[in-house]
């Protein structure tokens, strides 16, 4: 094995930092800072826009990859269903997806020894990325951003003009955070995890990023030079935290409100020094179970809405081909119709009681 | 079979089966690996650590071991710092060997494989279970895959298939990995009334609802340890019986590979692997060789595929009696 040299990044062991957490919770700031300190954001990446003026730090391929996998799993980015985790996990067991993910990672390790991968959809596929890291001889490490649920929900409603109710967004936040915490617990392949409050990162990014680097042994950050630190100061804008509302402002149903508040309390403990303890894991296990129960109860109560929606879709599907003058033959693609021998077509028309239109070829 | 359990034919009430979902408090979330073992002291130091890390709980049921299996189990879990995840139990009855002996046993006899399995899985307190053998070792990728699926599965009623590959051990540093046969068996099952054990021809079978979901893990995530200096087929009534059976293709392949290796022949599809100095062959294969082997892993000889002429001929011969 090559000996690690502090001044030669090519000797650093392969490591990939996955920045997880709900969208709009500071994941872009974390990924951006890590890039400034020397970790490599695989290129090309998603270009900045008005929702994130300083850039997303999201590799384009990763976003497209996750989008496609979510579609295959029939899971939304903000999905409050506990069983959605099995659906994305199932897709991640497919060998060709594991190969594609590992090959992509390998190609970027040829550029740099320490990578940072971030995407709000990442939480759904942490297991797939862990496997890809194993296959490329790298150590996966995880940084999960924490931001008050009231601010995340408020931020999403502002920036994405999301017409979904705050209850659904809060439930999706719970589902994402409770399971991301479970999915990043100690594993034989991992090099550790940290939880970072968005507020802490904005208040004192130097202290916070050093804590991340020390916990996860990110060599580029540990050995960053003064110009990189200056650039960090130019990059982090405490004004980024534009939202300030409380959980009470969301007017959530009381059980959901309580679960959200209790989950936020427990997640916060993980961000304290020495706070990632079995006692907190146990408390989060109970909250996850309570959330699953609440979701199942709510789904059972609202079953009629689901059935009605299924029936509406079915009716729309049935109505589409039956427009004015539509014939059974119209439902058959032209290419297939053309392949039917003329004699058979004539016979079918006769059976259907239809004459060939005048002048038609 | 009553809704609360099964009474055995022999009248041992302390070993009646009580379905765990009928117990007060019901089942808790998570996954438990259940190992039924007999004289697996050699293998368990490799089998247990990854399994203890990957699951919420491991239940080891000893059935007449004389090689210190129970002590090794406890020591291994303790050494891994995971003794709190381990439960040991003893099943004192002699269980029929696979094949003719099993076929002769009534399903509700304490000597039946199906009854034995039902009793073992009735001790599980989680909603999902992994049926595991005392010689199956997870690779690093296997461990993280099983670990993730264990919590992702939640209440989804699905079966999970896990391919495994025979690793024939010649010494502490040398082994032979058989990738000649594509074979994935159903190891992950929900705990519930739809998924209990019933009698099949050679061994037990787990019932499933119809339809049922089923997913499979990729190849290269689990090896099954075989010892070239041991008696690998002791749990069969008559090892020669699977030499001609199409249904027992995995056993037949093992029999062929094992006997060829004893004669010094490495068959096609079998990889001879030597661990580097200081590394044990099992650690080397599960933590280095297999995780880093090029993907897709080349598994399965054409002549062993179910649709191959050789296998079709075997199936026809068997059907003709």
């Amino acid at each position: 094995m090559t000996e690690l040299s502090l001044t030669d990044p090519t000797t650093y062991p392969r490591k990939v930092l996955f920045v997880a957490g709900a969208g709009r919770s500071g994941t872009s700031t974390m990924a951006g800072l890590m890039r400034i300190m020397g970790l490599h954001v695989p290129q090309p990446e998603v270009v900045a826009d008005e929702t994130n003026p300083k850039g997303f730090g999201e590799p384009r391929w990763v976003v497209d990859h996750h989008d496609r996998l979510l579609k295959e799993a029939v899971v939304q980015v903000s999905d409050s269903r506990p069983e959605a985790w099995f659906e994305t996990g199932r897709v991640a067991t497919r060998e060709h997806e594991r190969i594609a993910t590992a090959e992509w990672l390998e190609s970027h390790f040829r550029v740099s020894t320490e990578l940072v991968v971030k995407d709000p959809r990442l939480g759904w596929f942490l297991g797939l990325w862990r496997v890809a890291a194993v296959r490329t001889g790298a150590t996966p490490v995880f940084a999960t951003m924490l931001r008050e649920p009231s601010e995340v929900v408020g931020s999403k409603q502002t920036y994405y003009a999301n017409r979904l109710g705050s209850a659904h967004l809060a439930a999706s936040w719970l589902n994402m955070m409770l399971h991301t915490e479970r999915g990043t617990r100690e594993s034989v392949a991992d090099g550790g995890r940290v939880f970072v409050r968005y507020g802490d990162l904005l208040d004192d990014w130097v202290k916070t990023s050093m804590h991340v680097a020390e916990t996860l042994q990110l060599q580029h950050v540990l050995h960053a030079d003064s110009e990189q630190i200056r650039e960090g100061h130019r990059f982090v804008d405490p004004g980024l935290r534009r939202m300030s509302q409380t959980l009470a402002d969301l007017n959530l149903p009381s059980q959901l409100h309580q679960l959200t508040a209790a989950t936020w309390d427990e997640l916060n403990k993980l961000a304290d020094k020495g706070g990632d303890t079995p006692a907190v894991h146990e408390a989060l296990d109970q909250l996850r179970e309570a959330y699953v129960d609440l979701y199942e109860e709510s789904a059972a109560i609202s079953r009629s809405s689901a059935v009605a929606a299924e029936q509406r879709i079915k009716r729309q599907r049935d109505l589409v081909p039956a427009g004015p003058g539509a014939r059974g033959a119209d439902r058959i693609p032209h290419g297939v119709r053309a392949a039917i021998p003329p004699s058979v077509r004539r016979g079918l028309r006769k059976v259907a009681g239809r004459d060939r239109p005048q002048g038609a070829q | 079979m009553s809704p609360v359990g099964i009474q055995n034919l022999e009248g041992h009430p302390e070993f009646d089966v009580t379905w765990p979902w009928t117990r007060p408090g019901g089942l808790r979330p998570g996954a438990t690996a259940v190992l039924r073992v007999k004289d697996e002291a050699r293998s368990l130091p490799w089998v247990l650590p990854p399994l203890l890390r990957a699951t919420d709980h491991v239940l080891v049921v000893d059935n007449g071991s004389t090689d210190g299996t129970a002590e090794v189990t406890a020591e291994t879990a303790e050494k891994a710092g995971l003794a709190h995840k381990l439960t040991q139990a003893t099943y004192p009855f002699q269980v029929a060997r696979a094949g003719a002996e099993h076929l002769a046993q009534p399903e509700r006899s304490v000597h039946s494989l199906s009854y034995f399995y039902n009793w073992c899985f009735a001790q599980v307190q989680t909603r999902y279970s992994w049926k595991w053998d005392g010689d199956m070792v997870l690779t690093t990728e296997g461990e993280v895959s099983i670990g993730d699926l264990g919590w992702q599965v939640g209440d989804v009623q699905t079966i999970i298939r896990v391919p495994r590959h025979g690793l024939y051990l010649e010494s502490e540093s040398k082994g032979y990995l058989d990738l000649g046969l594509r074979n994935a068996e159903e190891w992950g099952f929900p705990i519930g009334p739809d998924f209990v054990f019933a009698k099949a021809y050679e061994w037990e079978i787990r019932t499933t609802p119809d339809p049922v979901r089923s997913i499979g893990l990729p190849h290269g995530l689990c090896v099954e340890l075989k010892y070239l200096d041991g008696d690998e087929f002791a749990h069969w009534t008559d090892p020669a019986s699977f030499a001609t059976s199409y249904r027992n293709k995995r056993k037949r392949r093992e029999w062929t590979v094992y006997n060829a290796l004893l004669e010094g022949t490495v068959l096609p599809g079998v990889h001879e692997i030597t661990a580097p100095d200081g590394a044990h062959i099992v650690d080397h294969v599960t933590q280095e060789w297999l995780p880093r082997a090029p993907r897709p892993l080349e598994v399965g000889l054409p002549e062993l595929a179910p649709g191959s002429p050789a296998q079709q001929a075997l199936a026809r011969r068997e059907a003709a009696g």
Side-chain angles (χ1 to χ4, degrees):
Chain A
M1 187 186 278
T2 318
E3 205 169 311
L4 185 129
S5 156
L6 303 186
T7 53
D8 182 4
T10 61
T11 65
Y12 296 167
R14 281 184 170 190
K15 191 162 278 188
V16 51
L17 169 66
F18 295 106
V19 181
R24 312 303 305 177
S25 61
T27 52
S28 300
T29 307
M30 173 60 83
L33 260 177
M34 291 296 121
R35 187 224 316 262
I36 290 167
M37 296 303 137
L39 271 73
H40 177 63
V41 176
Q43 297 296 304
E45 62 185 284
V46 176
V47 291
D49 65 18
E50 70 279 4
T51 70
N52 221 337
K54 295 215 171 191
F56 291 87
E58 292 170 9
R60 181 80 254 169
W61 187 90
V62 174
V63 173
D64 294 343
H65 188 47
H66 288 164
D67 268 340
R68 185 177 54 78
L69 295 177
L70 282 174
K71 276 196 186 87
E72 285 190 25
V74 198
V75 170
Q76 312 301 308
V77 181
S78 289
D79 202 312
S80 55
R81 294 170 303 148
E83 67 264 30
W85 293 97
F86 175 72
E87 300 305 335
T88 53
R90 174 180 62 83
V91 171
T93 61
R94 294 178 185 163
E95 181 63 294
H96 61 277
E97 303 299 358
R98 291 186 172 197
I99 290 172
T101 313
E103 281 180 352
W104 181 85
L105 209 52
E106 177 64 38
S107 71
H108 292 282
F109 274 127
R110 288 191 209 115
V111 180
S112 177
T113 48
E114 288 189 330
L115 309 177
V116 54
V117 173
K118 173 249 160 176
D119 175 23
R121 306 151 191 81
L122 183 67
W124 294 111
F125 300 106
L126 291 171
L128 177 63
W129 286 102
R130 184 182 274 124
V131 165
V134 168
R135 289 189 176 187
T136 51
T139 304
V141 291
F142 303 92
T144 303
M145 296 304 297
L146 302 176
R147 187 181 184 187
E148 287 218 23
S150 54
E151 295 187 4
V152 174
V153 171
S155 179
K156 279 189 174 180
Q157 283 176 324
T158 303
Y159 287 108
Y160 300 140
N162 203 320
R163 283 180 296 173
L164 299 165
S166 58
H168 173 252
L169 287 172
S172 301
W173 178 87
L174 271 172
N175 196 30
M176 174 57 70
M177 296 310 292
L178 286 168
H179 287 90
T180 298
E181 186 283 319
R182 180 64 186 85
T184 54
R185 280 190 199 166
E186 187 181 0
S187 142
V188 70
D190 301 355
R193 69 172 184 177
V194 287
F195 288 83
V196 179
R197 294 183 199 94
Y198 187 37
D200 290 348
L201 192 64
L202 296 181
D203 290 345
D204 187 346
W205 70 264
V206 179
K207 179 182 164 190
T208 308
S209 62
M210 185 46 67
H211 167 66
V212 172
E214 284 176 344
T215 309
L216 307 180
Q217 283 300 296
L218 300 169
Q219 300 302 319
H220 281 90
V221 188
L222 291 172
H223 308 300
D225 63 25
S226 29
E227 194 45 51
Q228 288 171 306
I229 296 167
R230 287 190 193 102
E231 182 60 24
H233 282 294
R234 288 190 284 268
F235 175 75
V236 178
D237 169 12
L240 280 173
R241 193 180 182 176
R242 297 188 183 98
M243 293 294 150
S244 63
Q245 58 178 333
T246 66
L247 200 55
D249 295 331
L250 299 181
N251 285 318
L252 299 174
S254 87
Q255 252 184 299
L256 188 62
H257 177 102
Q258 285 167 22
L259 266 179
T260 308
T263 301
W264 175 242
D265 283 349
E266 293 301 324
L267 289 173
N268 253 292
K269 292 178 187 168
L270 295 171
D272 292 337
K273 203 167 183 183
D276 200 343
T277 63
V280 180
H281 302 170
E282 202 180 320
L284 286 161
D285 283 342
Q286 287 171 9
L287 287 163
R288 209 170 52 252
E289 198 177 343
Y291 173 70
V292 172
D293 288 347
L294 176 63
Y295 188 89
E296 285 175 355
E297 286 163 15
S298 309
I301 290 168
S302 59
R303 176 78 190 129
S304 300
S305 299
V307 171
E310 281 166 18
Q311 286 176 340
R312 249 192 321 271
I313 291 166
K314 190 172 177 296
R315 180 182 288 182
Q316 278 166 3
R317 210 176 279 149
D318 291 345
L319 287 174
V320 169
R327 300 171 301 151
D330 292 335
R331 299 180 193 178
I332 302 168
H334 176 77
V336 177
R337 268 184 282 154
I340 300 171
S343 58
V344 178
R345 267 186 276 170
R346 273 195 300 276
L348 287 171
R349 273 200 300 273
K350 205 171 174 182
V351 170
R354 287 177 184 272
D355 289 322
R356 191 181 180 83
Q358 286 281 319
Q361 296 297 307
Chain B
M1 197 190 305
S2 92
V4 292
I6 317 172
Q7 286 185 322
N8 59 70
L9 292 176
E10 288 81 1
H12 297 288
E14 69 281 23
F15 282 94
D16 280 345
V17 172
T18 305
W19 301 127
W21 52 89
T22 64
R23 294 200 181 113
L27 299 165
R28 56 185 164 81
T32 300
V34 180
L35 291 79
R36 297 92 41 236
V37 294
K38 183 174 186 179
D39 294 335
E40 295 285 8
R42 265 174 120 174
S43 300
L44 288 169
W46 278 279
V47 174
L48 287 174
L51 208 53
L52 283 160
R53 289 191 295 262
T55 60
D56 296 283
H57 208 81
V58 173
L59 168 67
V60 178
V61 182
D62 188 55
N63 183 223
S65 294
T66 55
D67 68 346
T69 286
E71 291 75 17
V72 169
T73 298
E75 278 164 25
T76 305
E78 192 67 45
K79 213 167 147 187
L82 296 166
H84 61 284
K85 285 188 171 186
L86 173 74
T87 300
Q88 291 210 68
T90 302
Y91 188 78
F93 309 104
Q94 193 171 350
V95 177
R97 287 175 293 173
E101 223 176 87
H102 161 77
L103 193 60
Q105 285 295 341
E107 195 177 80
R108 282 175 50 215
S109 164
V110 292
H111 305 296
S112 147
L113 269 170
S114 352
Y115 189 89
F116 176 38
Y117 276 67
N118 275 323
W119 184 84
C120 292
F121 281 80
Q123 315 309 312
V124 173
Q125 295 173 6
T126 53
R127 292 181 195 157
Y128 205 75
S129 66
W130 299 100
K131 175 172 168 257
W132 214 254
D133 285 352
D135 53 8
M136 282 167 51
V137 184
L138 285 164
T139 67
T140 307
E141 185 175 333
E143 181 181 331
V144 299
S145 300
I146 292 277
D148 278 330
L149 282 167
W151 63 263
Q152 288 168 336
V153 72
D155 289 331
V156 177
Q157 301 289 290
T158 186
I159 294 169
I160 300 175
R161 301 184 306 279
V162 185
R164 60 176 156 168
H165 317 286
L167 176 60
Y168 298 79
L169 302 173
E170 185 179 288
S171 69
E172 294 206 338
S173 61
K174 192 170 182 186
Y176 301 86
L177 182 65
D178 180 19
L179 298 180
L181 182 68
R182 290 181 82 88
N183 182 59
E185 292 183 17
E186 296 170 339
W187 293 102
F189 285 90
I191 293 287
D194 286 333
F195 300 91
V196 297
F197 290 92
K199 187 173 173 177
Y201 295 123
E202 286 87 5
W203 44 61
E204 80 297 333
I205 190 167
R206 208 154 178 173
T207 61
T208 58
D210 182 21
V212 65
R213 293 187 76 177
S214 178
I215 67 164
L217 285 171
H219 289 280
L221 306 194
C222 181
V223 299
E224 186 177 27
L225 304 183
K226 309 273 175 199
Y227 297 91
L228 289 173
D229 62 357
D231 183 0
E232 283 298 330
F233 301 93
H235 59 290
W236 276 81
T237 314
D238 172 17
S241 66
F242 46 70
T244 55
S245 163
Y246 175 73
R247 199 165 45 248
N248 302 332
K249 62 174 182 174
R250 183 174 64 82
K251 276 289 152 204
R252 198 172 62 251
R253 170 70 180 175
E254 285 171 11
W255 179 254
T256 310
V257 170
Y258 179 79
N259 285 298
L261 287 170
L262 287 183
E263 288 164 13
T265 307
V266 181
L267 292 176
V270 178
H271 298 254
E272 183 176 334
I273 302 172
T274 303
D277 284 347
H280 192 281
I281 182 66
V282 178
D283 288 337
H284 176 63
V285 170
T286 56
Q287 294 167 22
E288 288 296 324
W289 199 95
L290 268 173
R292 304 301 298 280
R295 290 325 200 251
L297 201 62
E298 277 188 33
V299 179
L301 296 168
E303 62 267 32
L304 294 177
S308 69
Q311 297 300 307
Q312 292 294 317
L314 194 58
R316 278 196 300 276
R317 273 206 303 278
E318 186 167 283

